[in-house]
Amino acid sequence: MLLLKTKTVDCDVLVVGGGMAGCGAAYEARYWGRDLKIVVVEKGHIERSGAVAMGLSAINCYMGMRWNENTPEDFVRYARNDLMGLVREDLVFDIARHVDATVHLFEEWGLPIVYDEQTKRYKREGRWQILIHGESYKPIVAEAATKSATEVYNRVMVTHLLTDEEDGGRIAGAVGIGVRDGAFYVFRAKAVIVCAGGATHVFRPRSVGEGAGRTWYSPWSTGSAYALLVEAGAEMTQMENKLVVTRFKDGYGPVGAWFLALKAKASNAYGEDYEMKYKEEQRALYGDYVDAKPFPTCLRNDAMLREIRAGRSPIYIHTEKVLDTREKEELGQEDFLDMTMSQTIVWASQNIDPKVRPSELLPSEPYIMGSHATCSGAWVSGPADLSPKECFWGYNRMTTVQGLFGAGDTVGGSAHKFSSGSFTEGRLAGKAAVAYISERVADRKPSVTEKKVEAFRDEIFQPVKTFRLGRNMITKGTVSPFCIYPDQGVVRLEKIMGEYVGGWGSFYTTNEVLLGRGLELLEMLREDLDHLGAEDLHQLQRAWELHHRVVTAEAVLRHTLFRKETRWPGYCYRSDYPALDEKNWHVFVNSRYDPSTGGWSLFTRPCTRLVS
Ligand code: SFD
Ligand code: AMP
């Protein structure tokens, strides 16, 4: 079963992760790099991989510029306010000016977008969102990427990036595990675009027992995007900007279509509208951001948490007051059937008819992402024509490692990209990677020695060796004196993060003392990762996913410790610094891990305003 055969693939552009951003990167790299070898490596199957696997019912980022609905400047103001002032405006503007063209491509490729029969325009869910019949969204987008790429390697998980041995500051490729064939894959590439999604199961989910795999964001988003970059020495930003989303209880059904298109209202247990009730208390702590329209996502969470703490839960969303026509009922049901079937199953299993009975809402566990109402990820160069000097170093969406690009959840500082913006950012990165290759490394072969490759191979397959050496000592299935299993490690990680770094069990609250202890426990967990055991290829993948989650968690914890204020209440509270501190902390918190010493440095970067 474990052949340990080495398969080496040479290419020009390597795209890691075939989700929304990865598909965009492959598509655009082909447009500009007609003769280049473009390879996509995907740990699932590109046709149904990533966050859009189940489908979506809306495209949440569309300007509508052909109908003069919005301008990119409007969008920058929206994302900036929603993120309490801290976004990279160059990156956000860049997505906004290109995203409509992406959506028009999706429609051309066969994605059914809903039209408003009267205006003949796309039917709006909200100001930025349009409705789609999106169960097959991912296969449609993946088809374009598959046709564009020279080769797609499905079921291969990338575990590490390779840096060039003659020029340590440059990228040289990646290595990984063939999850089905058991091979060790070595990809040598001139440019690498990491598009490996966000991170779930870093914090303990609300679901338990047999439902524990259920989270709102995809359970196979395992933080690879962050860990791969961190371990390659790339600079990261906003890793403390964890995302907490309000969701239908138990099934994690999203709320956007209900609040925006169906105009449902939320109330406390006694039917009172609570959302604006705390505005003046919020203003005292968080300043004038409370006047932003729409009310920032994190402040909506904050109001809900205040109401729950006051003992007036459950919080309800009144579906029963808005499903008064057949059309609205279809819209509501399709919303979940297209993208979160689990919610309709919860309704059926708990005797909830949404036409009759309201549903409970709860804020989720924190996720790490770069594409929703949050913007954790890599610190990248912006476009030449927009970026301030300190945010431009040659190629759009290139990280601080030469030749290493990112897009989608991977890239920090640019919130509200969603599916369409992530694909668009992939396109921007794909185009820039082709320019980088032709201008900088056209005749240069990546330098990777056999010795280095062998060392990675030994490290990657170690959990299998550990298991085989000690398996006779296992008692009662999983009780083992010599190794830990990946799922045991995940539970331990979730416990540490949930209890010390602001999980839902502590009302998203932490402080310096808790974070200090959390870091000690996380370091112990990191040491124990050397004793991970994997009994088969599936568990080997789980072992490396855990490794990526732990590295991501450490970045999150260190950033949270560094920012001495509460910038995004409702996502995370620093009880020792309960207020937003505009004077000292209207800056990005950035970090760099030094792979040669294992040390971290944390520092700030200015947040520049480009749009008035
Ligand atoms: O409303 C490796 N999202 C929504 N976006 C919208 O536009 N509209 C909606 O209605 C949305 N809603 C929503 C959304 C997501 C989910 C899960 C639900 C509902 C239930 C958000 C978007 O989906 C999201 O913004 C984008 O998909 C982000 O794109 P990207 O490319 O950054 O991530 P990805 O699509 O998950 O792809 C990542 C890929 O990488 C692979 N991968 N491959 C190889 N090696 C490794 N080590 C890898 N690690 C990961 C993954 O398998 C995947 O294919 S609403 O609720 O917000
Ligand atoms: P969600 O379903 O929560 O992921 O949200 C989908 C989209 O709707 C995102 O663009 C959200 O920012 C937006 N959204 C959700 N709820 C609200 C609300 N109550 N007010 C304004 N925008 C919202």
Side-chain angles (χ1 to χ4, degrees), residues 388-407:
K389 234 182 20 290
E390 67 279 9
C391 293
F392 177 71
W393 49 94
Y395 297 95
N396 202 357
R397 268 59 181 188
M398 189 165 83
T399 69
T400 53
V401 176
Q402 288 287 309
L404 176 60
F405 295 76

Side-chain angles (χ1 to χ4, degrees), residues 452-528:
K452 185 163 176 178
V453 164
E454 280 308 307
F456 271 125
R457 182 181 148 118
D458 286 348
E459 186 184 341
I460 291 168
F461 285 90
Q462 184 58 46
V464 175
K465 285 187 220 145
T466 303
F467 179 83
R468 289 187 174 183
L469 274 175
R471 69 175 143 198
N472 290 343
M473 284 185 273
I474 299 173
T475 56
K476 263 202 127 204
T478 56
V479 180
S480 156
F482 69 93
C483 77
I484 59 167
Y485 292 89
D487 56 342
Q488 294 167 337
V490 168
V491 173
R492 190 163 141 199
L493 171 68
E494 289 173 351
K495 183 169 162 62
I496 296 169
M497 296 301 282
E499 292 174 359
Y500 292 93
V501 194
W504 60 267
S506 52
F507 273 90
Y508 312 100
T509 305
T510 185
N511 61 38
E512 192 163 330
V513 183
L514 281 166
L515 289 165
R517 180 63 181 151
L519 188 55
E520 277 176 356
L521 294 171
L522 206 55
E523 278 164 357
M524 289 179 213
L525 172 58
R526 244 190 126 155
E527 283 170 19
D528 285 350

Side-chain angles (χ1 to χ4, degrees), residues 60 78 125 129 247 254-256 259-260 294 297 300 372 416 418:
N60 285 345
Y78 164 60
E125 175 182 293
Q129 304 82 358
R247 290 293 175 255
V255 295
F259 280 136
L260 301 179
T297 308
R300 286 203 307 272
H372 201 275
H416 286 277
F418 291 95

